[in-house]
Amino acid sequence: MSNTLNAARVGLFFILGVVLIWVVYQALGEGVFFREDGYRVTAQFDDLKQLKVGDEVRMAGVRIGSISETRLVRGRGEAVMTIQPGVDIPEDSVATISMAGLLGSNFIGIRVGESEVNLAEGDSLTTRSTPDFNEAFATLGDMTERVEGFFDDISRAIAEITGDEDDDGLVRNLNAMVTENRENLRETLENLRGVSDALATGEGTLGKLIHDDEAYESLMNIGRDFESTAAAANELFADLREIVTQVKSGEGTIGALLYDEDTAGEIRRIARNLGEVSDKLAAGEGTLGRLLADDTLYHDLQAVLQKAERTIDGLGDQGPITAVGITANALF
Amino acid sequence: MKQINNILEHFGSTIILCIRSFYYLPTLPRQWHRLIEHCYLIGYTTFPIVAILSFFIGSVLALQAGYSLEAVAAQDFIGALVGLSLARELAPVMTSILVAGRVGSAISAELATMKVYQEVDALVTMNIPPERMLVMPRLVAVLIMMPVLTICANLIGWVGGAVIAQNVDFIQLDTRIYFDGIRNFVTFRDIVDGLIKAEIFGFCIILISCNVGLRTVGGPREIGGSVTRAVVISLILILILDYFVTNALMKI
């Protein structure tokens, strides 16, 4: 085996080793000697959690860069991210720290914004904190306490309803009432059943109402009558409307009465005459006036009637006379 | 007392050997062909066994992880588990153990033989320090080759795990999910930590093997004893150092 061949083998082997170390270094990705290309943006968080240099930056789940530095800035954790060139992050994107798994490493997830303006070198991302497990469990603890309190209240309310041995609860009272009034309740129920039977067999007014067609028929008839009445009323109204139109146009007596000037004048004259007649009557002028104002006629009438009475009395004295006889006498 | 003295002597002589070897580092360009040769022996010829071993270590890790994680339905984490344990621990340690067994033993046997048959003495007589010609090129070669072997072990182990995870009936984990798990949980820092560990282990293995070989005293029987001692010390040292180096790297 020549010495040159050995030298070549050793050289190759050594180069292989160096290449492998380089490959491992690249695969495990911690940019110390060779920075990842791209621009750098920062994001401040209250708590960086387990974020460390070399962790991924993802947008919509796709790796777009890595954390190149973590530092403390005025009590807040600041992560410096190196974003691959060509990946644009809208200005209003939001960065959150997410967990890749329960025990796994964290990564920064960027929710894409809608702004037209993209972040440039050195810009800062807005961030939103995500609750970690400790906070979540603390909240859960509070909730458990509240739920326990709720159930305590419920059990207390149930105790109040059921009542203790010495305390009268609602259920206990109800029970006592039912026990005391058992007879009455049974009677009431029996009566109810009787009523229900009667209804079922069609007895009584309600029963008939339910079972008999007659009531329905008569109701239907009433309905029909109403309908015809309504039709007649319609006709009547139509006629009335016609009359009104005629009156308005001055046709017929009432039309003339209302709309004719001459008629109005005549009516006025008649009214005047009537006024005069009435005045004369009041003053006792004329036959009618005297009849109303003078009582002579009354006295004369009274005297005539007295005479007639006397005559009939005289007739009665002349013996029993039949009604026919009187009638005959009166006639002949 | 004698044993403690012995251990301290070993320890001290190893450090002295290390310092002397680095003293001769500038002579490396003149020994280029020797460096290539040792690289070939340490790296290239060790690669197949490292590849086979790491493939099956990855496979068995995925299998065990799938079997265990099936109970909690967390099979998505097989990739993370296999990737992390290989990168941080198993790839460097297993590669080092293989190097100790395959290369360390050979080196200590060679040097022990040279020492026993007084070749080393002959070199010294010719004013050629054994550290310069025998130790320094090997140390440089192992420093060059350990990362290469370890990264290969890592990747082959990962692929082995992926193959098993996808094809075993009760796991059937998609390869993409498996490698996503690796990508999410294994950082380059983990890999570098593993490579640093492998570098340290490899350096210690070669140093100890050379030292034990060069300190062999006696007849041919001692050669076997030296080899055994070199491998045992290397393995123990790898596992003890592993803890401390890992601890130190975690704090950095």
Side-chain angles (χ1 to χ4, degrees):
Chain A
M1 210 180 287
S2 74
N3 215 356
T4 336
L5 186 63
N6 279 359
R9 282 172 177 171
V10 169
L12 205 66
F13 189 61
F14 183 72
I15 290 167
L16 173 77
V18 172
V19 167
L20 286 181
I21 292 175
W22 168 250
V23 165
V24 170
Y25 172 73
Q26 281 297 311
L28 300 179
E30 281 177 61
V32 181
F33 301 122
F34 289 84
R35 286 192 190 288
E36 204 169 356
D37 283 345
Y39 59 100
R40 289 153 73 91
V41 292
T42 60
Q44 284 195 352
F45 293 92
D46 289 334
D47 184 2
L48 282 178
K49 290 167 188 167
Q50 293 166 21
L51 207 67
K52 58 184 189 296
V53 172
D55 279 345
E56 297 183 346
V57 178
R58 294 188 195 179
M59 184 187 267
V62 181
R63 187 180 187 279
I64 59 163
S66 62
I67 314 287
S68 45
E69 195 186 343
T70 54
R71 61 194 176 201
L72 196 63
V73 178
R74 289 191 299 279
R76 300 190 85 207
E78 187 176 77
V80 180
M81 294 171 276
T82 305
I83 308 295
Q84 291 166 5
V87 178
D88 292 330
I89 303 176
E91 207 178 33
D92 54 347
S93 302
V94 178
T96 51
I97 297 178
S98 310
M99 277 196 294
L102 202 58
L103 304 173
S105 55
N106 292 325
F107 64 89
I108 288 189
I110 297 179
R111 197 187 302 148
V112 189
E114 288 168 353
S115 173
E116 297 283 322
V117 186
N118 290 322
L119 286 177
E121 167 80 34
D123 283 352
S124 183
L125 264 173
T126 41
T127 60
R128 200 164 55 81
S129 62
T130 44
D132 66 358
F133 276 100
N134 292 333
E135 287 169 31
F137 278 120
T139 318
L140 204 66
D142 288 349
M143 219 161 77
T144 315
E145 268 176 31
R146 241 175 281 153
V147 169
E148 269 173 15
F150 175 66
F151 278 115
D152 278 353
D153 290 349
I154 286 184
S155 54
R156 214 173 301 130
I158 288 174
E160 271 171 26
I161 290 170
T162 52
D164 298 331
E165 287 297 323
D166 46 352
D167 186 27
D168 281 354
L170 179 62
V171 171
R172 203 168 278 265
N173 288 342
L174 271 175
N175 197 25
M177 202 178 84
V178 170
T179 318
E180 279 168 20
N181 293 309
R182 186 168 288 152
E183 278 302 309
N184 296 341
L185 280 171
R186 204 176 60 222
E187 280 168 23
T188 312
L189 284 174
E190 271 170 15
N191 289 344
L192 272 174
R193 193 181 299 135
V195 171
S196 147
D197 285 346
L199 278 176
T201 50
E203 288 169 28
T205 316
L206 271 173
K208 282 204 184 113
L209 197 66
I210 290 168
H211 288 276
D212 215 345
D213 281 350
E214 262 177 47
Y216 171 74
E217 286 294 330
S218 56
L219 269 173
M220 286 304 285
N221 286 338
I222 290 168
R224 273 196 287 277
D225 288 352
F226 266 123
E227 266 172 41
S228 51
T229 314
N234 275 348
E235 273 173 39
L236 181 67
F237 279 118
D239 291 349
L240 273 175
R241 201 173 298 129
E242 209 176 312
I243 289 167
V244 170
T245 34
Q246 281 178 2
V247 166
K248 274 185 184 165
S249 57
E251 284 173 32
T253 318
I254 294 179
L257 200 67
L258 285 176
Y259 293 95
D260 202 351
E261 286 295 319
D262 302 342
T263 326
E266 232 162 283
I267 287 174
R268 230 173 280 131
R269 199 164 44 81
I270 291 167
R272 210 166 38 243
N273 291 344
L274 273 175
E276 279 172 22
V277 171
S278 162
D279 285 347
K280 280 180 183 165
L281 278 177
E285 287 175 23
T287 317
L288 271 172
R290 237 174 272 151
L291 194 65
L292 284 172
D294 207 349
D295 53 356
T296 337
L297 189 63
Y298 170 69
H299 288 302
D300 291 347
L301 206 59
Q302 215 168 18
V304 170
L305 282 173
Q306 276 167 358
K307 277 175 193 169
E309 211 172 335
R310 260 196 311 279
T311 314
I312 287 165
D313 282 348
L315 284 171
D317 291 342
Q318 285 170 1
I321 300 160
T322 59
V324 178
I326 288 167
T327 311
N329 278 347
L331 285 173
F332 306 105
Chain B
M1 198 65 199
K2 195 189 170 191
Q3 279 181 334
I4 293 173
N5 202 24
N6 208 16
I7 291 172
L8 283 176
E9 199 192 335
H10 264 286
F11 192 66
S13 63
T14 310
I15 290 173
I16 289 167
L17 185 68
C18 176
I19 292 167
R20 275 188 187 167
S21 302
F22 276 103
Y23 174 76
Y24 293 114
L25 197 62
T27 63
L28 188 65
R30 282 192 282 146
Q31 304 191 57
W32 190 253
H33 66 282
R34 219 169 268 141
L35 175 68
I36 297 294
E37 190 193 331
H38 288 309
C39 279
Y40 179 76
L41 286 173
I42 293 171
Y44 193 80
T45 56
T46 316
F47 175 69
I49 190 172
V50 168
I52 293 167
L53 190 81
S54 53
F55 182 88
F56 282 100
I57 285 176
S59 307
V60 88
L61 265 178
L63 195 66
Q64 294 278 28
Y67 178 78
S68 311
L69 293 177
E70 194 192 14
V72 290
Q75 287 160 328
D76 291 3
F77 295 105
I78 292 174
L81 201 149
V82 172
L84 267 182
S85 43
L86 267 174
R88 294 194 62 86
E89 194 60 46
L90 286 169
V93 169
M94 293 314 287
T95 309
S96 302
I97 286 172
L98 285 180
V99 167
R102 195 182 177 283
V103 180
S105 59
I107 288 169
S108 61
E110 189 184 336
L111 294 194
T113 311
M114 287 174 81
K115 185 79 195 337
V116 165
Y117 291 106
Q118 299 170 347
E119 289 177 34
V120 176
D121 294 338
L123 284 175
V124 173
T125 311
M126 287 189 284
N127 200 19
I128 300 170
E131 292 87 359
R132 192 185 88 186
M133 202 181 114
L134 301 177
V135 181
M136 192 273 289
R138 289 189 165 95
L139 285 175
V140 175
V142 86
L143 287 180
I144 291 171
M145 279 300 136
M146 275 314 279
V148 179
L149 283 176
T150 310
I151 195 76
C152 289
N154 267 328
L155 290 176
I156 292 166
W158 289 355
V159 170
V163 169
I164 290 302
Q166 192 178 20
N167 293 314
V168 168
D169 285 344
F170 60 84
I171 305 176
Q172 290 190 339
L173 183 71
D174 190 53
T175 309
R176 205 187 319 145
I177 298 172
Y178 175 88
F179 280 112
D180 276 349
I182 290 179
R183 200 172 297 133
N184 287 336
F185 282 89
V186 183
T187 60
F188 191 65
R189 174 69 198 273
D190 296 325
I191 306 281
V192 170
D193 281 5
L195 296 186
I196 291 171
K197 274 160 79 171
E199 205 83 296
I200 292 169
F201 298 158
F203 186 76
C204 289
I205 290 163
I206 302 301
L207 201 61
I208 286 162
S209 300
C210 289
N211 189 46
V212 170
L214 287 176
R215 281 174 56 79
T216 310
V217 182
R221 204 177 166 187
E222 295 300 319
I223 299 169
S226 284
V227 172
T228 309
R229 206 180 300 127
V231 172
V232 167
I233 293 173
S234 297
L235 293 183
I236 291 171
L237 202 72
I238 286 169
L239 295 174
I240 292 173
L241 265 182
D242 187 26
Y243 173 78
F244 290 103
V245 172
T246 308
N247 204 1
L249 284 173
M250 278 178 180
K251 281 173 182 163
I252 293 172

